Amino acid sequence: MDSRGHGRSTRDNRPLTYDLMASDVIALMKHLNASKAAIIGWSDGAIIGLKLAIRNPDQLSGLFAFGANSHPSGLYDLSDSKIFERYLKRARKEYETLSSTPGEYDDFLRQMSAMWASQPDLADKDLRSIKVPVWIADGDHEEVIRRKDTLFIADSIPASGLLLQPEVSHFSFLQDPHQFTEDVLCFLQARGVGKMVSSNARSCRAN
């Protein structure tokens, strides 16, 4: 699914929050009559997945969370990041191509930036309450999320797996989509939380 305001999904005048976008996931699952799902989340999607694992555990069979932060302090200063600048240019082009409001990218980015500056706020006790199977994943060349915050999340969630993908950054799924996909399949296979799993998925590295 495209999160609220992303891709072809619309947005309204409410401020963007991770809680609101997590509620969108539950609403979509209800619409599809899906009682339970494995969540694969990247960046903001990974944070949404963590929110769901905390608040709606009965509706999750597992969570593969790549590039999540627990707090705005877990982010690096990206003002001089060339790769993040390139990502934002790509995001603008894709927004203008896909969105039903192609001229509103700057307003959308302002809303997203406000959310990034104030959210999330996932405390240790929140993360320790997670009981669904979880892998916390990231790239070994991560330039957006501080490694100590990734480790905090992984260490706080009981029995979670930690996966650092080699030779990729925050944008792993673009830089090495084969590796990213195979690791997702590994997670689904290892935890038995997916029905459509490739028989070619390699042995799981996070065990």
Side-chain angles (χ1 to χ4, degrees):
M1 62 173 286
D2 294 330
S3 292
R4 176 178 292 250
H6 297 63
R8 294 181 174 86
S9 291
T10 59
R11 61 191 170 99
D12 52 30
N13 58 4
R14 286 177 288 179
L16 292 175
T17 69
Y18 292 112
D19 287 332
L20 180 59
M21 290 192 283
S23 72
D24 290 337
V25 177
I26 298 302
L28 177 60
M29 289 177 62
K30 182 177 181 180
H31 175 72
L32 296 173
N33 293 317
S35 60
K36 185 169 286 192
I39 302 296
I40 313 301
W42 171 76
S43 196
D44 288 338
I47 297 170
I48 293 169
L50 290 170
K51 287 280 189 177
L52 292 169
I54 292 167
R55 299 188 177 188
N56 303 88
D58 292 341
Q59 293 180 261
L60 265 65
S61 57
L63 169 64
F64 183 95
F66 188 100
N69 58 296
S70 68
H71 189 270
S73 62
L75 300 175
Y76 286 112
D77 179 1
L78 299 171
S79 57
D80 294 324
S81 172
K82 297 300 182 183
I83 192 169
F84 196 72
E85 182 180 344
R86 286 172 57 196
Y87 166 71
L88 290 179
K89 288 181 179 179
R90 174 179 176 141
R92 176 185 291 275
K93 183 177 180 180
E94 292 181 354
Y95 184 94
E96 292 171 348
T97 300
L98 298 173
S99 178
S100 60
T101 55
E104 295 183 10
Y105 178 76
D106 288 330
D107 182 60
F108 169 67
L109 182 57
R110 279 192 291 272
Q111 284 196 338
M112 292 295 295
S113 297
M115 183 178 74
W116 294 333
S118 61
Q119 301 173 43
D121 189 10
L122 298 172
D124 178 75
K125 64 179 178 63
D126 299 320
L127 296 170
R128 290 197 179 281
S129 72
I130 295 176
K131 298 296 188 288
V132 301
V134 177
W135 277 10
I136 300 300
D138 211 341
D140 63 352
H141 287 65
E142 171 68 68
E143 68 281 88
V144 177
I145 310 297
R146 297 181 186 274
R147 180 61 47 79
K148 66 178 183 180
D149 199 34
T150 301
L151 296 178
F152 164 71
I153 295 172
D155 289 343
S156 297
I157 300 174
S160 66
L162 173 64
L163 173 65
L164 295 180
Q165 294 181 334
E167 302 180 6
V168 291
S169 75
H170 191 70
F171 304 98
S172 167
F173 75 101
L174 297 173
Q175 296 159 337
D176 193 340
H178 177 75
Q179 173 177 246
F180 190 93
T181 301
E182 286 297 296
D183 282 336
V184 168
L185 294 176
C186 249
F187 168 71
L188 296 175
Q189 182 180 23
R191 295 296 173 256
V193 296
K195 293 181 179 179
M196 299 177 63
V197 179
S198 168
S199 61
N200 296 320
R202 62 180 175 272
S203 298
C204 298
R205 297 186 304 199
N207 282 352

